[in-house]
Every structure is written in C-alpha cells, then in structure tokens.
Amino acid sequence: MSFSFFKVSRPKTPQEVVKSIKESLMALDTKTVVEVKALEKALEEVEKNFVTMRTMTSGDGESEPNLDQVSQLVEEICKEDVLTLLIHKLPILGWEARKDLVHCWTILLKQKVDSNDCCVEYIHQHIELLDFLVACYDNKEIALSSGIMLRECIKFPNLAKYILESASFVLFFKYVELPNFDVVSDAFSTFKDLLSKHATVVAEFLTAHYDEFFDQYEKLLTSPNYVTRRQSIKLLSDFLLESPNAQIMKRYILEVRFLKVMMTLLTDSSKNIQLSAFHIFKIFVANPNKPRDVKIILGKNKGKLLELLHNLSPGKGSEDEQFEEEKEFIIKEIERISV
C-alpha cells in the first residue's frame, strides 16, 4: 500500500521562490486588476509567496534562516528584476502582503552578496524606484508601508543623497501638511531621517541648495498647523546644530527674516515651540559678528524680548540650570544692544 500522499513536499529553493513571486506579481496585470475574482485569486497567490519569502528570510519560529539561502534569494531577486516588481505592485497589494513585504524589505536591503549590498546597488541602478516610493505618500492606503521602505533605503548614504537632490524631495514640504495625521507623522519621520541620518551628505545638500531649501522650510515654521510648527522647529534645531552644518548655521543667523521667524515663535502659545525657538534665537543674539540689521531688529524689540525671556521657563517645576544660565546670558546681551 502506498502512503505517498503523506509525504511532506520538498521546500522550494531560493530560485523557485523568486520565480513564483515574479510570476504571481506579473499576474497582477491591467486585465486581472479589473476582474474582481481574478484579482482575488492573484492576490492570494502573491500573499502565499510572500509568506514563503518571509519564512526563508526570517525562519519559521522553530529554526533560524539559512543564510546561504537568503543570500541566493537576494541575488535572484535582483537578477530577475523582482525588486522593481515589488515596488511597482505595492499599490495593488493587500494588507497582509504589504506587511510581509515590509518585514522582508529590511532583510533584503541589509543582506550582502559577495560583500556587496546587492539590493542597494540594484536600487541605485534603477534610481527611479525611489521616486515611486516617495510618490506613494499621495496614496494613504500604502503611505505607511512605502514610508517604512523609504526609511530603510535612507539608511544608505548614496540613496539618501539621491532623494535629497531629486525633484521628489520638494514633495515632502507638501506631505508633512497633508490632512491625514498618520500619513503626516510618517512623512515627517522620513523627512527627519533625510535631514539627520548622514550629516556630511546633508551639509553638502544644504550648501548647494540653501536658498531653495530654507525658503520652503520657512513656510513650515510659519504654518497655521501647530503640529507642523512644533515638528519643524524641533527638527531645525536638531540638524542646524550638527557640527558638519556649522557653516550653514553661520549663514542662517545672518538673515533678518529668519530672526523674525524665531521671534514670532517665541510668542507661540505652545511652551514646547517657544523653547525650541529659543535654542535657535540665542545663536542670533550670541553671534559676536551680528549684522547691523540684526542688531536693529533686536534693539527695536528689546523691551518685548526681555519680557518674553524673563517669563520663559523649561516647564512647571522643572529646574534646568543650563537653560537658566543661557537665558541670563542672552538677556544681558540684548540689554547691551544699542542702535
């Protein structure tokens, strides 16, 4: 008697897994997408294949992944252009498939093949894929998934550099003010990573695009939206005070229009915004080489500024000695100004 039907099926090889993923993604063509039953079947096949990919890259809970197999999987994914399909089909995928893809994405990007970042190199050679991921913020259904994938890409300096210098970067000034709070929060996380992960890359970008960038950034700092103002002023103080951005900061504090923005934020109804603004405002005041027009603005508003600063504190019951010392120094500097 044969009991062959009890045999456990042979695990797929990395090459077979990639072949199945590719075929199932390619089945999500224009014709399939408009036919409900055909689409459901195609998406089920994609989900099944993504589960297999996840098991191969992360293990099954009982055994660890085979690193040689993971390496072969990554190499095959790049060779067969499956990475392009994974990104381009993202808007069609169901929630479970997107979840598994996002989980695998980090592993795929980090996995080296013969000491090379295979997937990172592939994306760099097909750089328009990054523009596609950025544009996914326009689709709230997939925005959070694409955001996670983008932030994984941004961990690599060459990919972050491309996004900063691309036409897509300016879209973030729109995305961080969208009406959907979850999308806005995610977009700002990506925006923050772009401006903080690779200090030297950011310094080069800001040097080359100073006027365009800060013209746009000023709009965020003066936004009627409280969340936008709070996140923007906090991020500005973070990246402007990075040592590679020292020359950018020196240029920034020479401009009266930015001083006026900080003075306005010192009057904000939010204590957090006031405090973040103070940390940039103090650099304008402490600058020993203040331009005459900066001195004039500070002098004309001396009384109001002194009143604001005397009333400014880190928070209820909070004792911050360094803050108080800095505040006293700034107060004395303003008192000395005469125009």
Side-chain angles (χ1 to χ4, degrees):
M1 184 181 291
S2 173
F3 292 94
S4 58
F5 52 87
F6 286 121
K7 287 182 180 178
V8 178
S9 60
R10 176 183 63 81
K12 286 185 175 181
T13 65
Q15 290 76 14
E16 289 169 338
V17 171
V18 173
K19 184 174 184 290
S20 296
I21 292 171
K22 183 175 183 178
E23 289 174 352
S24 62
L25 288 171
M26 290 182 72
L28 296 173
D29 55 21
T30 308
K31 184 180 176 183
T32 303
V33 169
V34 296
E35 295 176 2
V36 177
K37 287 187 177 179
L39 176 60
E40 287 178 356
K41 185 178 178 182
L43 287 173
E44 283 178 11
E45 193 64 24
V46 170
E47 286 184 13
K48 184 178 76 174
N49 289 325
F50 278 14
V51 168
T52 305
M53 175 170 65
R54 179 169 181 154
T55 302
M56 184 168 282
T57 56
S58 303
D60 58 7
E62 294 181 0
S63 57
E64 293 295 312
N66 181 313
L67 295 183
D68 286 338
Q69 284 195 330
V70 177
S71 181
Q72 290 173 44
L73 181 80
V74 168
E75 185 175 18
E76 197 71 13
I77 281 175
C78 294
K79 189 174 79 175
E80 292 297 320
D81 288 323
V82 171
L83 213 59
T84 294
L85 284 170
L86 291 173
I87 293 175
H88 282 168
K89 300 297 183 181
L90 185 61
I92 310 172
L93 300 179
W95 186 83
E96 283 292 339
R98 290 200 304 271
K99 186 179 73 171
D100 285 335
L101 172 57
V102 166
H103 174 87
C104 294
W105 187 254
T106 305
I107 300 167
L108 296 177
L109 261 60
K110 288 180 178 177
Q111 180 63 40
K112 292 185 180 292
V113 177
D114 297 329
S115 301
N116 297 318
D117 293 314
C118 190
C119 288
V120 176
E121 289 179 5
Y122 181 92
I123 293 170
H124 196 250
Q125 290 163 7
H126 301 78
I127 206 70
E128 70 284 351
L129 294 175
L130 292 175
D131 295 306
F132 186 93
L133 283 174
V134 172
C136 285
Y137 273 118
D138 279 317
N139 182 342
K140 66 180 181 181
E141 298 300 321
I142 60 169
L144 304 190
S145 298
S146 66
I148 295 171
M149 293 167 72
L150 264 176
R151 288 191 291 280
E152 289 300 322
C153 292
I154 290 166
K155 290 178 180 178
F156 300 89
N158 58 336
L159 302 187
K161 179 180 172 68
Y162 170 77
I163 298 174
L164 282 169
E165 296 178 347
S166 72
S168 295
F169 178 67
V170 74
L171 292 173
F172 281 98
F173 292 97
K174 177 186 81 169
Y175 294 146
V176 297
E177 293 214 84
L178 288 172
N180 185 295
F181 179 78
D182 290 336
V183 174
V184 165
S185 297
D186 196 277
F188 211 96
S189 293
T190 305
F191 189 54
K192 181 180 178 180
D193 281 4
L194 280 167
L195 293 169
S196 59
K197 282 289 181 184
H198 310 287
T200 304
V201 171
V202 172
E204 290 172 359
F205 164 73
L206 292 176
T207 300
H209 304 277
Y210 178 90
D211 289 325
E212 307 98 291
F213 176 81
F214 284 108
D215 283 348
Q216 292 285 345
Y217 207 92
E218 184 178 354
K219 295 173 186 175
L220 299 182
L221 293 171
T222 56
S223 169
N225 186 300
Y226 160 73
V227 175
T228 302
R229 293 197 311 280
R230 179 174 177 178
Q231 290 182 318
S232 299
I233 187 64
K234 176 67 170 65
L235 176 58
L236 180 65
S237 63
D238 287 346
F239 75 78
L240 206 56
L241 299 178
E242 287 277 351
S243 54
N245 292 327
Q247 292 306 314
I248 301 297
M249 183 190 71
K250 287 177 182 177
R251 184 174 173 182
Y252 189 86
I253 62 174
L254 296 179
E255 300 203 40
V256 169
R257 63 173 177 145
F258 298 141
L259 170 61
K260 288 179 178 177
V261 171
M262 293 307 130
M263 288 166 60
T264 300
L265 291 174
L266 280 173
T267 68
D268 199 279
S269 59
S270 162
K271 180 70 71 177
N272 287 315
I273 290 177
Q274 290 177 13
L275 291 170
S276 294
F278 171 77
H279 289 302
I280 299 177
F281 172 77
K282 70 186 180 186
I283 307 170
F284 283 90
V285 179
N287 179 15
N289 301 309
K290 287 185 281 292
R292 177 164 173 75
D293 50 359
V294 167
K295 287 182 181 178
I296 289 171
I297 293 295
L298 291 172
K300 282 183 176 179
N301 293 276
K302 182 187 290 189
K304 180 74 180 292
L305 287 170
L306 291 174
E307 182 183 350
L308 281 169
L309 291 172
H310 279 299
N311 293 326
L312 188 63
S313 65
K316 240 181 183 179
S318 174
E319 293 183 8
D320 188 326
E321 288 184 17
Q322 184 180 347
F323 174 81
E324 291 299 332
E325 287 174 8
E326 290 177 350
K327 189 177 80 168
E328 285 306 309
F329 173 77
I330 296 304
I331 286 173
K332 288 176 182 176
E333 284 293 306
I334 293 174
E335 287 175 337
R336 279 202 290 263
I337 291 174
S338 59
V339 291

